[in-house]
Amino acid sequence: MKTTPRKVIVARLSHESHSFSKLVTTLADFAREELRFGPAMLSSAAGTRTELGGITDAARQYSWQLVPTVSACAPTGGPVSRAAYDALTEPLLAAAAAHPDAEAVVLSLHGAMFVEGLPDPEGDLLQRLRERLGASVVLAASLDLHANVTDQMVRNADLMTSYRTTPHVDQYETGLRLCQLVERTLRGEILPRLHVARRAMLSGMDLGRTLRESPMTRLQARARNCEHEVDAVQDISLLAGYYMGDVYEAGPSVLVIGNGGDESCARIAGELIDDAYSWRAEKTVRLQSIDAAIARCREPATRPGPLILADYTDGPGGGGYGDATGLLLALLAAHLPGTMVGPMYDPQTAREAIAAGVGGEREFRVGGKTDPAFGGGPLQLRARVLAVSDGRYVRTGPFKTGTPASLGPSALLECGAVRILVASTRMQAEERGQYRVLGIDVEQANVLALKGINHFRADLEPIARGIVFVESGGIHATDLRTLPYRNVRRPIWPLDD
Amino acid sequence: MKNTGTDLTVKVIAARICHESHAFSVLPTTLTDFANQELLVGEQILAQRRSTRSEMGGIIDAADRLGWDLIPVISCNTAPSGPVTRATYEALLEPILREAASTDGLRAVVISLHGSMFVEGLPDPEGDLLRRIKDVVGRHVVLAATLDLHANVTDEMVRHADLMTSYRTTPHVDQFETAMRLCGLVDRTLRREIRPTMHVARRAMIAGMDLGRTLADGPMVQILREARALEHRVPGLLDIGVNAGYPYGDVYDMGPSVVVVGDGDDPAYAQAAEHLMNMAEAMRDVTTVKLVPVETAIQLASEPAAGAGPLLLAEYTDGPGGGGYGDATRLLEALLTARIPGTVVGALYDPVSARQAIALGVGACTVFEIGGRTDARFGGDPVRVEATVVALSDGAYVRRGPFETGTRASLGPCARLDVDGVQVIVASYRIQAEDREQYRILGIDPEGSNVIALKGINHFRADFEPIARGIVFVEAGGIVASDLRVLPYKRVRRPVWPLDA
């Protein structure tokens, strides 16, 4: 018997928004990174190891008729402007109105977006879709492992599942798994119920790291075990949360998808979050003060390769501004031979250096321009221009291998023993190619101070003699008590200890 | 006086927000439409527009020559359609406002506008955006705009911009020169060689200037010739923008206008503007294109061919290039009745029939309901026919005609149907007739056809006029109405010609 294919609306709206960053994320940020509409979003996703790649493969397997709407993603940054949010969601809401016969909506979300005046945009979006499409449509979303899962999201979605790795290498599998749950729901094989559990903690699960044995890997192992042993449990997501998101429910959560009204699911969610709570202070990465980092640099090298000073709290990958100067100031004073700093976001200095030309020497005001309150203001210094570049490179490290990227117009400055790479793109350190475009052989550096949290480790950890994670006062703060939370539920660890 | 600031670089923001919006179309224009045609930000603008004959190409070239430190922000455009949604407008404008607010030492903002955008609840968006940019940058930063020749220039635009200049050709082939000219004026203003003032003149008319056509020696050509003479003759007169206006907007100040840019204050500038508008008013009903009713078109098509090549029936009033829906059926219905041998109709916008034909496959014969789905008030209902599927295509083609030669385009999934010998093309994208390849991909030989009924206003002429034995422009009730009195204007000043004639 020939049946009409099921119509499934698909969209992707992904952003991790640092609530306290003053860099508002606009349409331009999405257009620079990922912004596609209609069929174009599917054709570009086909064959990639992304959520949309997984969703398109699943749709083919289940013979769904996909209605592609919008696919938008921007690098971690400040709150998304209301204008951008409204314009990006409009095509999806219009499709929901135009296709009342859609049986499901499959969304790829981050889960930690923050919009000006709207702390829970994912909850808002799911609710608006629910209102338009009614109770019978299956509303499903994939989430980043750093999602802040809100009650509004849980109330309106039928299905949600998240990544299980950090760095996140299982986007494709997550999209596929979600669609499998959607298909089983549409066939009436399961009657999904979402159970969420949280504790009074804003941080925990070791921020979700799964590179080595950690609270997160232990929790994941237990979760897989429960899925295996308890019939009602269909899927378990462990979410480390994103503590830079100022929403009531911010922080780690456990999300269990149960079949029907089985009591065991809520109990399992509770047990897992209790474990997470008891391990909340356990971390595989420790940050050190600037002074301690400089002291480490003075210790004799026991292995070849640079000592990496990761300026964790200013890492653009976590929403940092990438131009904090506290660590640079200390390194200029320390006079350590072979010190390399950067890339540091400073388009003005890059432009001035390019205008001065290679060999030119002049006064620069380096970095610290975005918000001197976090990590130090601009440094007035005299420097010589060693090299300039358009900043373009092709990634050769393990992260997104073979794809093009760019620092934007950029320059290498020399000031005493310190060389500084200034760039026009606010970009996290991610691989050696970023240094090669300015003629730097980073393996030969003695000390490499970079703006990085996670991704740089893939390409740079193997060549380093060590990594020191530095707390330098940037906006990606590790002492959460310095942040001006307004919406988070209180009391909560570690704010109210 | 010389700029004695420490930062000698001349920082100039470049942006483009361009759309011709049919105020009465039911098709809202969203971010999807811009992203599918042109939506570039930052460095992407330099990478994709440098060395092109576009406004942005001209701005980039001028900036290089003048040594500006150019800050490209956003560049967007999409095909004429209905009102832009408010959310889309705000999202497109926001990056410009933020960049303007955060750039220290900014000297100028150069923006490429159409001038006939219409936003839900905001009939004069260009006036709005120029005001909001000026509010952010202050009056010492030069705010300059290029305009399409079909701009509806409002008082609000004139009030907040320091400089505006328009295309001088239709079809528009001088985008690059327009931007270069504007940047030259900006540069002279920044050097304090000139102190520009603007003077606008209008008459009680919302149509005229032969809709700006410059292919034949009509009213527009004569007015432009006089404008160039005035630029030479009147001391201090810097530039004259002659705007034919866009009759499908719905804003108070709409219609033909002349904008004179002068150096300092001189009554001669306003006089020049008034003089040119007097010319335009005197010739307001002179047009180089005449539309005929459907019956006349059928009669002309039925006559024995007086030459080689097809007779083109250009369904002007439904042309997507002017904001038409591209699926009006009145002419189609008449041609199906007439059954003139060798008739080709299309492409009509009809994704439903296209999908249906593709699902059935070549050779299948069934009942289709063709076209008329968007808004049956304009140009007729769906036409129910029995048809055979002759050919199918994904619709992709490479333009071989003179218009954007060598670039890629697509009709979307499409089909060729045979209805009692009449070939009808149904397509999934709402696209104007523009290139013979649109027919060849479905196995139709345009040169060998007898009658081709297409949805076109202007652009198709570049590739089709040379092979046609004639062109008949047809009034078939579409939304690009030739009788403006059928349109529900709400905001235009009254009385105005031809509404109240």
Side-chain angles (χ1 to χ4, degrees):
Chain A
M1 194 186 81
K2 201 188 168 195
T3 54
T4 3
R6 300 183 194 280
K7 195 183 263 190
V8 176
I9 296 171
V10 58
R12 165 171 161 82
L13 187 56
S14 177
H15 191 250
E16 184 179 88
S17 321
H18 193 307
S19 297
F20 310 111
S21 167
K22 55 190 243 186
L23 296 173
V24 173
T25 301
T26 72
L27 186 65
D29 300 295
F30 288 94
R32 218 169 259 127
E33 178 85 3
E34 176 189 327
L35 182 60
R36 295 186 193 92
F37 295 87
M41 70 183 263
L42 297 183
S43 51
S44 64
T48 64
R49 287 191 48 78
T50 60
E51 289 97 316
L52 286 180
I55 292 166
T56 44
D57 278 0
R60 195 174 311 115
Q61 189 185 336
Y62 304 131
S63 303
W64 292 347
Q65 183 197 332
L66 287 183
V67 179
T69 56
V70 55
S71 170
C73 179
T76 300
V80 174
S81 78
R82 185 66 200 233
Y85 174 73
D86 287 342
L88 291 172
T89 50
E90 188 172 65
L92 169 59
L93 295 168
H99 298 279
D101 56 333
E103 293 184 54
V105 180
V106 175
L107 305 173
S108 158
L109 303 175
H110 184 287
M113 179 153 63
F114 187 92
V115 172
E116 294 172 328
L118 191 66
D120 179 19
E122 285 95 346
D124 171 76
L125 181 61
L126 286 163
Q127 182 164 337
R128 284 155 77 185
L129 287 167
R130 178 62 76 198
E131 283 162 5
R132 273 169 182 70
L133 289 162
S136 62
V137 75
V138 175
L139 216 45
S142 67
L143 300 174
D144 189 286
L145 180 151
H146 294 113
N148 289 324
V149 178
T150 67
D151 286 346
Q152 196 180 16
M153 290 164 68
V154 174
R155 200 161 45 236
N156 289 290
D158 295 295
L159 294 162
M160 292 195 285
T161 187
S162 72
Y163 305 158
R164 295 170 173 180
T165 58
T166 302
H168 312 315
V169 294
D170 64 332
Q171 281 111 325
Y172 176 87
E173 288 77 4
T174 305
L176 213 55
R177 194 168 63 241
L178 180 70
C179 291
Q180 196 173 28
L181 290 163
V182 170
E183 177 70 9
R184 292 179 62 204
T185 306
L186 290 172
R187 286 186 187 165
E189 292 172 17
I190 54 170
L191 187 67
R193 291 280 179 274
L194 293 178
H195 306 268
V196 67
R198 302 180 200 92
R199 290 295 177 264
M201 58 179 168
L202 187 53
S203 164
M205 297 188 184
D206 187 30
L207 299 184
R209 294 185 193 94
T210 54
L211 276 181
R212 58 193 63 164
E213 206 279 332
S214 71
M216 193 56 156
T217 56
R218 267 174 266 153
L219 288 165
Q220 293 284 1
R222 287 187 192 189
R224 297 296 82 76
N225 217 23
C226 291
E227 286 170 354
H228 201 72
E229 288 177 355
V230 184
D231 275 352
V233 174
Q234 304 303 309
D235 187 84
I236 299 178
S237 294
L238 300 160
L239 302 125
Y242 180 62
Y243 50 63
M244 302 303 180
D246 187 13
V247 58
Y248 185 83
E249 297 96 333
S253 65
V254 175
L255 190 62
V256 176
I257 303 177
N259 182 15
D262 197 297
E263 295 294 313
S264 59
C265 296
R267 180 180 51 79
I268 287 166
E271 285 170 8
L272 287 167
I273 199 73
D274 282 338
D275 284 345
Y277 189 71
S278 60
W279 299 329
R280 66 187 184 273
E282 200 179 317
K283 283 180 188 163
T284 58
V285 160
R286 293 264 164 219
L287 269 63
Q288 303 194 15
S289 69
I290 291 178
D291 290 346
I294 300 291
R296 268 290 298 279
C297 294
R298 294 193 192 284
E299 291 171 11
T302 52
R303 288 178 48 190
L307 181 69
I308 292 178
L309 306 187
D311 199 353
Y312 188 98
T313 60
D314 193 36
Y321 295 133
D323 70 347
T325 52
L327 183 58
L328 172 62
L329 182 65
L331 287 165
L332 287 168
H335 297 290
L336 302 160
T339 301
M340 177 66 224
V341 180
M344 177 176 267
Y345 174 71
D346 191 339
Q348 190 185 322
T349 297
R351 232 177 4 239
E352 287 169 3
I354 290 165
V358 172
E361 194 172 328
R362 56 164 283 179
E363 294 277 321
F364 293 98
R365 283 177 77 240
V366 177
K369 296 183 178 80
T370 309
D371 191 350
F374 289 95
L379 300 182
Q380 188 83 30
L381 54 84
R382 190 162 184 86
R384 202 159 65 88
V385 182
L386 293 185
V388 298
S389 167
D390 65 358
R392 293 198 293 181
Y393 62 101
V394 175
R395 294 187 176 98
T396 52
F399 175 68
K400 295 188 180 174
T401 321
T403 56
S406 180
L407 296 169
S410 48
L412 182 65
L413 308 178
E414 183 183 52
C415 179
V418 179
R419 285 178 299 165
I420 308 165
L421 195 174
V422 289
S424 298
T425 307
R426 205 184 298 269
M427 207 177 183
Q428 63 183 324
E430 50 172 48
E431 69 150 64
R432 283 173 265 177
Q434 292 174 318
Y435 302 92
R436 289 197 196 105
V437 288
L438 283 144
I440 305 157
D441 185 4
V442 87
E443 289 87 340
Q444 304 302 320
N446 173 29
V447 173
L448 172 61
L450 50 75
K451 309 283 185 188
I453 296 177
N454 258 319
H455 284 132
F456 75 94
R457 296 176 69 172
D459 194 42
L460 292 163
E461 193 159 348
I463 61 140
R465 69 175 187 269
I467 300 182
V468 181
F469 290 93
V470 186
E471 159 65 84
S472 68
I475 193 174
H476 191 67
T478 54
D479 183 357
L480 304 187
R481 286 167 299 190
T482 63
L483 295 172
Y485 291 99
R486 278 186 309 199
N487 303 320
V488 167
R489 66 199 182 281
R490 306 296 283 263
I492 197 163
W493 184 84
L495 303 185
D496 303 301
D497 264 13
Chain B
M1 205 172 91
K2 237 178 113 81
N3 179 0
T4 51
T6 47
D7 191 356
L8 289 172
T9 57
V10 178
K11 288 187 192 168
V12 176
I13 284 179
R16 165 173 163 86
I17 297 186
C18 188
H19 190 248
E20 185 179 270
S21 322
H22 197 303
F24 309 109
S25 166
V26 296
L27 297 170
T29 302
T30 72
L31 210 48
T32 304
D33 303 295
F34 286 97
N36 286 341
Q37 186 158 338
E38 176 190 330
L39 179 55
L40 303 169
V41 297
E43 301 277 322
Q44 297 168 352
I45 298 171
L46 302 180
Q48 297 204 25
R49 288 294 178 266
R50 194 186 284 282
S51 303
T52 65
R53 286 189 48 78
S54 61
E55 285 98 323
M56 270 296 171
I59 293 169
I60 294 164
D61 205 60
D64 287 347
R65 288 172 200 219
L66 298 167
W68 290 350
D69 182 0
L70 196 69
I71 305 167
V73 178
I74 190 164
S75 180
C76 61
N77 180 31
T78 189
S81 49
V84 175
T85 68
R86 185 69 189 240
T88 302
Y89 169 73
E90 294 293 342
L92 294 173
L93 176 59
E94 182 178 40
I96 304 172
L97 295 175
R98 290 190 182 274
E99 192 70 43
S102 66
T103 305
D104 290 332
L106 181 67
R107 302 290 309 282
V109 176
V110 177
I111 185 161
S112 157
L113 303 173
H114 184 286
S116 291
M117 180 154 65
F118 188 91
V119 172
E120 295 170 337
L122 192 66
D124 179 19
E126 284 93 349
D128 175 75
L129 70 85
L130 288 169
R131 177 182 59 74
R132 286 163 73 182
I133 294 171
K134 199 67 177 178
D135 282 353
V136 167
V137 298
R139 64 192 180 90
H140 295 293
V141 170
V142 176
L143 179 55
T146 61
L147 299 175
D148 189 286
L149 180 152
H150 295 113
N152 286 324
V153 178
T154 65
D155 285 348
E156 187 81 349
M157 292 163 68
V158 175
R159 190 172 304 126
H160 300 293
D162 296 296
L163 289 163
M164 295 195 290
T165 188
S166 307
Y167 304 159
R168 296 170 173 181
T169 57
T170 302
H172 312 314
V173 294
D174 64 332
Q175 283 101 332
F176 180 87
E177 288 77 3
T178 303
M180 286 293 271
R181 197 167 61 241
L182 182 74
C183 291
L185 291 169
V186 171
D187 182 58
R188 293 178 64 194
T189 308
L190 290 174
R191 292 175 190 278
R192 315 212 178 179
E193 290 173 19
I194 54 171
R195 186 177 65 81
T197 57
M198 289 200 292
H199 312 266
V200 65
R202 301 180 198 92
R203 291 291 178 272
M205 55 201 243
I206 59 167
M209 296 187 182
D210 187 28
L211 297 182
R213 294 184 191 93
T214 54
L215 280 179
D217 189 14
M220 191 64 175
V221 173
Q222 293 166 39
I223 297 166
L224 285 168
R225 202 181 295 133
E226 180 67 8
R228 298 294 83 77
L230 286 167
E231 285 171 355
H232 271 93
R233 200 158 66 222
V234 180
L237 199 157
L238 299 165
D239 186 87
I240 300 179
V242 179
N243 305 287
Y246 179 63
Y248 309 106
D250 188 9
V251 58
Y252 185 84
D253 305 322
M254 65 187 283
S257 68
V258 170
V259 177
V260 171
V261 182
D263 181 12
D265 298 302
D266 189 327
Y269 305 147
Q271 282 163 18
E274 298 297 338
H275 166 63
L276 292 169
M277 278 313 298
N278 285 340
M279 282 179 75
E281 190 175 29
M283 296 186 284
R284 70 186 184 193
D285 49 11
V286 178
T287 56
T288 57
V289 161
K290 297 276 175 216
L291 271 63
V292 305
V294 172
E295 301 72 39
T296 311
I298 298 293
Q299 201 182 326
L300 289 167
S302 307
E303 287 169 7
L311 182 71
L312 304 179
L313 305 185
E315 197 179 344
Y316 188 99
T317 57
D318 194 34
Y325 297 132
D327 71 346
T329 52
R330 201 164 292 161
L331 181 60
L332 169 69
E333 207 169 9
L335 285 165
L336 291 175
T337 307
R339 286 205 224 171
I340 302 161
T343 297
V344 177
V345 183
L348 264 92
Y349 171 72
D350 189 345
V352 176
S353 295
R355 219 175 13 241
Q356 193 186 349
I358 290 165
L360 292 168
V362 171
C365 181
T366 188
V367 173
F368 291 88
E369 298 216 338
I370 298 177
R373 285 187 176 79
T374 309
D375 189 353
R377 293 177 303 160
F378 292 97
D381 294 305
V383 176
R384 200 178 160 82
V385 296
E386 195 170 296
T388 306
V389 181
V390 180
L392 302 170
S393 167
D394 65 356
Y397 60 96
V398 175
R399 295 187 176 102
R400 300 199 185 286
F403 174 69
E404 298 189 357
T405 321
T407 57
R408 283 181 292 182
S410 179
L411 295 174
C414 55
R416 169 183 169 191
L417 309 176
D418 184 304
V419 188
D420 288 334
V422 175
Q423 307 301 302
V424 181
I425 299 173
V426 287
S428 297
Y429 296 169
R430 207 183 297 270
I431 192 167
Q432 63 182 326
E434 52 165 43
D435 196 292
R436 282 179 259 169
E437 286 298 304
Q438 292 175 321
Y439 297 87
R440 295 193 186 116
I441 55 169
L442 286 156
I444 293 169
D445 171 23
E447 296 83 350
S449 303
N450 177 29
V451 173
I452 302 179
L454 47 75
K455 309 280 187 188
I457 295 177
N458 260 318
H459 283 132
F460 76 93
R461 296 176 70 171
D463 197 35
F464 288 86
E465 197 158 342
I467 62 149
R469 67 175 188 269
I471 302 183
V472 178
F473 289 93
V474 188
E475 161 63 84
I479 195 173
V480 191
S482 62
D483 181 359
L484 300 180
R485 287 168 301 188
V486 306
L487 296 173
Y489 292 99
K490 280 191 294 213
R491 300 176 181 86
V492 68
R493 66 197 181 283
R494 305 296 283 261
V496 76
W497 183 85
L499 304 185
D500 306 299

